[in-house]
């Protein structure tokens, strides 16, 4: 059927529209005045009966081809819970006007169908019907009510479209997260085995030549990088589906940071890692996750600065009573625009994409861990001068013992 008119049947104003639209269709088709009136009256009668019971009815008027001929067809649908029968006054009257009348039910919707065969003399063809469709699609509204109704309709269509798009993109995102999660789990098993075997091979140092040992050492380094990447991928998918779990314990920051500095100095022997710690603060943290924070921040500090340059970790209590921990480097730095995006997932500064490997996940995960600990993270950076990442975490004790020291730890 080629649809000419579609109207929601909500209230008496729609009754007027239904009648006038039905008349207009008859007129444009070139039906006699008597047929136009009969047709429009039948449409009004059905619409009135429906509107009396619900504001969720729908009226469609269109033209249907039946072999060589055409028929004017009306469909009125409404919720089947509304019990209207052929004996309803409006329905009864409409049937007397238009004998081809059908009442059916599918999927909880009742449908009233009426048909009038159109005379051959109207000379209808596809082209004319398409022109009619255009006419009603572009026609001016009959009154202010219809104008508002049309605007509401187009707004709700836009809303429906947007909701569908959001639903689709959520679905795609869920599938993506699921894929990352499954893929990273699958990759993790063989990599863990390779890592364990490489460690075993390194243990058998005396059984292999220097050349072979160097190769094994390189395999070990690259495997460690792979393990980190897979771990990051798994973390990103955990963050996305809200399953990043923490195991909190109370620690003394001075001890914890001291350990971190030692580990990091060992991991980045070509940089000088300095620590500047103020006071003996206590905090409640997930030790492994916090180690990950340091590993990311220090790893970046080392990766984006020249060998031999300093990386300084400092810790103090800020005015709000939080521990404020800073990781500062003397590296390549970032532009103000880049510092604004640096905690976004998969963000990487354009200029370094080709020179420094990475996937842009570390700072996203880091910021999530900090926020989940009740803190905040920010960055200060200047191109060519260096960057300083500062994060806060809540303290248990508000009474730190006084004292400041700078420890230089070398490997
Ligand atoms: P990755 O280092 O793996 O690319 P990150 O999320 O850790 O991912 O960092 C995102 C981006 O932020 C990096 O690609 C880099 O451009 C920039 N960046 C991070 N830390 C520093 C730093 N200390 N100095 C300069 N740029 C940095």
């Amino acid at each position: 059927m080629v649809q000419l008119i579609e109207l929601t049947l909500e209230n008496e104003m729609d009754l007027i529209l239904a009648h006038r639209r039905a008349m207009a269709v008859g007129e444009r088709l070139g039906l006699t005045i008597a047929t136009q009136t009969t047709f429009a009256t039948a449409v009004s009668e059905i619409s009135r009966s429906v509107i009396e019971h619900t504001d969720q009815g729908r009226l469609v008027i269109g033209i249907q081809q039946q072999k060589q001929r055409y028929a004017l067809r009306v469909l009125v649908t409404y919720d089947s819970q509304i019990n209207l029968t052929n004996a309803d006054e409006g329905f009864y009257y409409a049937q007397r006007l238009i004998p081809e009348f059908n009442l059916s039910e599918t999927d909880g919707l009742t449908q009233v169908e009426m048909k009038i065969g159109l005379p051959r003399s109207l000379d209808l063809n596809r082209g004319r019907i398409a022109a009619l469709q255009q006419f009603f699609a572009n026609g001016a509204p009959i009154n202010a009510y219809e104008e508002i109704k049309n605007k509401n309709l187009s707004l709700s269509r836009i809303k429906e479209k947007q909701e569908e798009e959001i639903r689709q993109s959520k679905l795609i995102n869920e599938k993506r997260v699921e894929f990352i999660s499954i893929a990273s789990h699958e990759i993790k098993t063989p990599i863990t085995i390779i890592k364990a075997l490489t460690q075993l091979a390194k243990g058998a140092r005396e059984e292999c030549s220097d050349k072979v040992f160097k190769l094994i050492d390189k395999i070990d380094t690259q495997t460690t990088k792979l393990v980190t990447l897979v771990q990051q991928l798994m973390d990103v998918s955990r963050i996305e589906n809200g399953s990043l779990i923490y195991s909190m314990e109370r620690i003394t920051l001075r001890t914890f940071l001291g350990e971190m500095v030692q580990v990091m100095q060992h991991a980045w022997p070509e940089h000088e890692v300095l620590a500047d710690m103020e006071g003996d603060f206590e905090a409640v943290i997930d030790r492994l996750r916090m180690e990950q924070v340091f590993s990311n921040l220090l790893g970046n500090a080392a990766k984006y600065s020249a060998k031999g340059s300093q990386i300084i970790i400092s810790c103090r209590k800020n005015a709000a009573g939080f521990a404020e921990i800073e990781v500062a480097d003397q590296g390549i730095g970032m532009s103000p625009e880049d510092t604004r995006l640096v905690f976004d997932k998969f963000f990487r500064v354009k200029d370094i994409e080709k020179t420094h490997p990475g996937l842009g996940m570390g700072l996203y995960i880091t910021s999530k861990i900090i926020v989940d600990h009740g803190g905040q993270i920010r960055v200060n950076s200047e191109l060519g001068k260096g960057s300083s990442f500062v994060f806060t975490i809540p303290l248990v004790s508000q009474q730190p013992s006084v004292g400041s020291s700078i420890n230089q730890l070398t490997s």
Side-chain angles (χ1 to χ4, degrees):
M1 175 167 88
V2 178
Q3 192 172 307
L4 301 179
I5 304 288
E6 185 185 6
L7 204 66
T8 53
L9 299 173
E10 297 168 54
N11 56 49
E12 278 67 22
M13 301 291 282
D14 293 314
L15 210 51
I16 299 170
L17 287 185
H19 185 268
R20 291 185 59 177
R21 285 292 175 208
M23 283 297 281
V25 169
E27 193 185 329
R28 288 301 298 183
L29 274 170
L31 300 178
T32 62
I33 302 277
T35 316
Q36 283 174 36
T37 316
T38 306
F39 175 65
T41 310
V43 169
S44 295
E45 286 301 324
I46 301 293
S47 304
R48 185 196 315 281
S49 291
V50 171
I51 285 171
E52 270 169 15
H53 291 85
T54 175
D55 57 3
Q56 312 258 309
R58 180 170 166 263
L59 163 72
V60 171
I61 301 175
I63 293 180
Q64 189 177 37
Q65 188 166 13
Q66 293 179 317
K67 294 185 183 154
Q68 299 303 312
R69 298 193 57 179
Y70 290 94
L72 185 55
R73 190 171 179 227
V74 177
L75 297 175
V76 177
T77 41
Y78 54 89
D79 191 333
S80 294
Q81 287 192 340
I82 298 155
N83 204 12
L84 281 167
T85 64
N86 276 355
D88 170 82
E89 199 186 323
F91 283 19
Y92 174 75
Y93 191 45
Q95 281 171 80
R96 296 193 58 187
L97 294 168
I98 301 181
E100 210 173 323
F101 181 101
N102 238 309
L103 202 58
S104 61
E105 194 195 318
T106 33
D107 298 332
L109 279 181
T110 301
Q111 176 176 281
V112 179
E113 181 189 24
M114 293 188 295
K115 262 195 241 172
I116 298 181
L118 294 170
R120 284 185 203 279
S121 57
L122 294 183
D123 216 12
L124 280 177
N125 54 40
R126 284 183 190 197
R128 269 203 70 199
I129 294 169
L132 267 177
Q133 194 179 29
Q134 275 302 105
F135 174 81
F136 285 107
N138 301 331
I142 283 176
N143 52 25
Y145 171 73
E146 192 179 32
E147 194 177 347
I148 295 169
K149 195 176 163 83
N150 287 348
K151 279 188 182 145
N152 281 346
L153 190 71
S154 58
L155 277 178
S156 73
R157 282 198 181 132
I158 292 170
K159 198 171 152 235
E160 265 171 33
K161 201 172 154 221
Q162 282 173 341
E163 279 170 359
E164 179 58 18
E165 278 169 7
I166 292 171
R167 214 178 57 79
Q168 286 299 331
S169 75
K170 271 190 184 157
L171 209 72
I172 293 168
N173 198 35
E174 275 168 23
K175 290 250 171 272
R176 193 173 53 86
V177 172
E178 193 187 336
F179 171 75
I180 293 176
S181 167
I182 294 171
S184 45
H185 270 99
E186 289 299 317
I187 299 168
K188 198 185 168 194
T189 315
I191 293 179
T192 314
I193 295 169
I194 294 172
K195 176 84 189 158
L197 293 175
T198 320
Q199 293 289 316
L200 275 178
K202 276 176 91 174
R205 170 84 181 87
E206 61 287 350
E207 288 174 40
C208 53
S209 66
D210 281 355
K211 197 174 167 193
V212 171
F213 186 78
K214 271 187 192 149
L215 287 174
I216 293 171
D217 200 42
K218 280 187 181 157
I219 294 173
D220 191 33
T221 312
Q222 295 306 320
T223 317
T224 308
K225 283 187 187 166
L226 260 178
V227 170
T228 311
L229 277 180
V230 172
Q231 194 59 51
Q232 285 186 338
L233 272 173
M234 287 169 74
D235 284 344
V236 168
S237 74
R238 282 193 190 109
I239 290 172
E240 307 267 297
N241 62 30
S243 60
L244 202 61
I245 293 164
Y246 295 92
S247 165
M248 306 301 270
E249 62 182 287
R250 192 172 171 144
I251 53 107
T252 306
L253 269 177
R254 179 188 283 278
T255 317
F256 178 76
L257 291 179
E259 283 166 19
M260 281 302 95
V261 172
Q262 269 186 353
V263 172
M264 294 305 149
Q265 182 65 78
H266 185 73
W268 306 99
E270 284 158 334
H271 285 78
E272 199 179 354
V273 184
L274 302 172
D276 175 6
M277 286 180 247
E278 215 179 79
D280 270 340
F281 311 118
E282 286 194 324
V284 176
I285 60 163
D286 179 315
R287 186 181 276 273
L288 287 178
R289 288 291 173 197
M290 207 44 90
E291 278 176 22
Q292 199 178 345
V293 166
F294 279 95
S295 169
N296 284 339
L297 294 180
L298 270 119
N300 280 346
K303 185 156 92 179
Y304 301 110
S305 65
K307 287 178 184 167
S309 63
Q310 288 183 340
I311 300 169
I312 301 173
I313 304 177
S314 54
C315 172
R316 67 192 84 87
K317 186 174 147 185
N318 71 11
F322 281 62
E324 196 165 88
I325 298 158
E326 179 177 2
V327 177
D329 64 58
Q330 302 161 337
I332 58 173
M334 279 174 277
S335 69
E337 299 82 63
D338 289 333
T339 56
R340 273 193 285 278
L341 301 169
V342 87
F343 299 107
D344 287 359
K345 190 172 37 173
F346 305 132
F347 174 79
R348 306 206 70 218
V349 173
K350 282 265 162 303
D351 297 347
I352 57 93
E353 266 174 341
K354 292 205 173 74
T355 50
H356 298 71
L359 288 179
M361 290 186 286
L363 288 178
Y364 170 70
I365 297 167
T366 297
S367 67
K368 173 74 182 154
I369 295 172
I370 297 299
V371 170
D372 286 349
H373 274 75
Q376 285 178 339
I377 185 162
R378 61 179 193 274
V379 58
N380 305 311
S381 191
E382 204 179 324
L383 267 176
K385 293 237 165 108
S387 309
S388 131
F389 286 84
V390 182
F391 66 90
T392 56
I393 44 171
L395 288 174
V396 173
S397 161
Q398 301 300 325
Q399 304 288 319
S401 60
V402 192
S404 174
S405 59
I406 291 200
N407 304 320
Q408 182 169 333
L409 292 126
T410 43
S411 55

